Amino acid sequence: MLAVYLSMIDDQDDKDKFEEIYNKFNKYMLHEANKLLNNPYDAEDVVHDTFVDIAKNIKLLRTESDNETLSYLLCATRGHAYNFLNRKKLNYIPIQSVEGHMYRDELLKAESNLDYKNILKIIRSMEEMYSDVLYLYYCVGLNCKEIGQILGRKHATVRKQLSRGKMILISKLKEEGFNNE
């Protein structure tokens, strides 16, 4: 299967990067997908779809830290798993309505007042459909279109999840004592 993914990549450095990622993290991605789907065959399909998207977008993937790379890959895997479940109509994820609004520059202001690790901890404690999008947007630095490509979601869906995730994040930040005024 690795040969199929590598055939999608032109640059040899990117092929080497992809092969290393595949060999290091494939089993973690399969485990994550199987945990959500409870079916190893569906999990393999989801991980395959995830690797296809990663191969197409290999230039976006930073690999300086194994932990960051793994987080990124697990976000992408979860996104594909949720999409698979939604297509099969086996899972419905309720959308929370939370008042408030926060823009990227306000989050950067929050980072100067709160420790970055605390904000990351709050993001990771959130529901995965929001935490994955927030993580990829704020921590990895991807835009909504790129996040949609990686997670296999529509651009509009990512924008809405980012908006709702920001509202939840600002609510949690206020609970932690942050005031953005």
Side-chain angles (χ1 to χ4, degrees), residues 9 20 25 30 37-38 42 56 60-61 65 75 79 83 87 95 97 99 102 104 121 128 141 144 150 152 154 168 175:
I9 303 170
E20 181 181 349
F25 302 112
L30 279 169
L37 301 172
N38 296 318
D42 291 342
K56 289 178 184 175
L60 298 175
L61 188 57
S65 161
C75 286
N83 287 341
R87 280 192 307 270
I95 298 173
S97 234
E99 291 183 9
M102 181 177 247
R104 183 182 270 203
K121 181 180 169 185
E128 287 176 345
C144 291
I150 294 298
K154 293 180 181 177
I168 295 168
E175 288 173 14

Side-chain angles (χ1 to χ4, degrees), residues 18 21-22 31 38 41 46 49 53 71 93 104 113 124 130 147 155 157 161 163 174:
F18 184 91
I21 289 166
Y22 181 87
H31 175 74
N38 296 318
Y41 302 109
V46 163
D49 291 344
D53 280 350
S71 292
I93 302 171
R104 183 182 270 203
N113 293 332
R124 287 190 172 155
Y130 300 120
I147 294 169
H155 180 257
T157 302
Q161 289 172 339
S163 174
K174 285 181 180 178

Side-chain angles (χ1 to χ4, degrees), residues 112-140:
S112 66
N113 293 332
L114 284 176
D115 184 39
Y116 175 78
K117 288 183 180 182
N118 288 334
I119 292 174
L120 188 57
K121 181 180 169 185
I122 292 169
I123 289 173
R124 287 190 172 155
S125 73
M126 296 170 64
E127 192 175 343
E128 287 176 345
M129 67 184 290
Y130 300 120
S131 68
D132 290 348
V133 172
L134 288 169
Y135 177 81
L136 293 172
Y137 185 75
Y138 288 116
C139 301
V140 179

Side-chain angles (χ1 to χ4, degrees), residues 72-87:
Y72 179 89
L73 295 171
L74 294 180
C75 286
T77 302
R78 282 191 297 269
H80 281 273
Y82 289 136
N83 287 341
F84 178 85
L85 289 171
N86 286 332
R87 280 192 307 270

Side-chain angles (χ1 to χ4, degrees), residues 1-42:
M1 195 45 79
L2 180 59
V4 172
Y5 306 130
L6 293 176
S7 70
M8 300 171 66
I9 303 170
D10 295 328
D11 183 58
Q12 186 58 44
D13 289 339
D14 288 340
K15 285 182 180 190
D16 295 341
K17 178 177 164 181
F18 184 91
E19 187 171 2
E20 181 181 349
I21 289 166
Y22 181 87
N23 290 329
K24 267 189 188 177
F25 302 112
N26 184 37
K27 64 183 175 188
Y28 298 106
M29 294 167 68
L30 279 169
H31 175 74
E32 186 73 13
N34 195 40
K35 183 172 75 173
L36 295 169
L37 301 172
N38 296 318
N39 182 324
Y41 302 109
D42 291 342

